[in-house]
Amino acid sequence: QVRLQESGPGLVEPSATLTLTCTVLGASIQSAGYYWNWIRQSPEKGLEWVGYLNWDGVDLYQPSLEKRSFLSRDTSKNQFTLQLNSAIPEDTAVYFCARLRSSGGNSYEYDYWGQGTQVTVAS
């Protein structure tokens, strides 16, 4: 069974770097055809996709966050990490990591999610 587990600080000061790590169990982040995503949820914006790394390590970001975001991975630990620079209060949200896969044709689905971790940006 595939499991994803987010970890990181619950409180980040404004202008600091928010760093979250997702540890994947039961599947390799290098397996072809899978995309490893960060998604966040807040009352103000609802669900917002942040970005992904694919199995080859190719990254893609939400355009509004691209200048502040960086995704990386540690294949030896089967983890991928989100860094969000210059944190602002509007980055306060529950952050989820999730796996995206093709479900046939041009359709994709998120088949596994982490439980989510609350991050608050405040001084």
Side-chain angles (χ1 to χ4, degrees):
Q1 184 176 356
V2 179
R3 289 194 295 141
L4 289 78
Q5 179 64 54
E6 304 91 350
S7 60
L11 180 64
V12 177
E13 290 194 353
S15 79
T17 296
L18 185 165
T19 302
L20 294 171
T21 296
C22 183
T23 300
V24 179
L25 302 174
S28 171
I29 62 173
Q30 299 179 86
S31 293
Y34 294 101
Y35 302 79
W36 303 92
N37 295 258
W38 284 100
I39 297 164
R40 65 185 186 180
Q41 185 175 30
S42 65
E44 295 77 16
K45 296 184 179 180
L47 277 174
E48 181 181 32
W49 174 74
V50 177
Y52 73 57
L53 282 173
N54 78 355
W55 64 96
D56 267 343
V58 176
D59 54 7
L60 187 67
Y61 300 93
Q62 170 70 248
S64 63
L65 298 173
E66 186 169 10
K67 291 183 178 179
R68 297 195 291 126
S69 302
F70 179 70
L71 290 168
S72 61
R73 65 180 186 170
D74 185 336
T75 56
S76 68
K77 295 181 180 179
N78 214 38
Q79 296 174 333
F80 61 105
T81 296
L82 167 68
Q83 287 180 269
L84 189 59
N85 300 318
S86 303
I88 57 177
E90 289 75 16
D91 293 324
T92 296
V94 177
Y95 284 75
F96 298 91
C97 53
R99 190 177 80 168
L100 181 72
R101 70 177 184 96
S102 172
S103 55
N106 291 324
S107 298
Y108 290 81
E109 64 177 2
Y110 291 102
D111 59 350
Y112 290 99
W113 293 71
Q115 64 184 22
T117 186
Q118 173 70 48
V119 177
T120 301
V121 179
S123 55

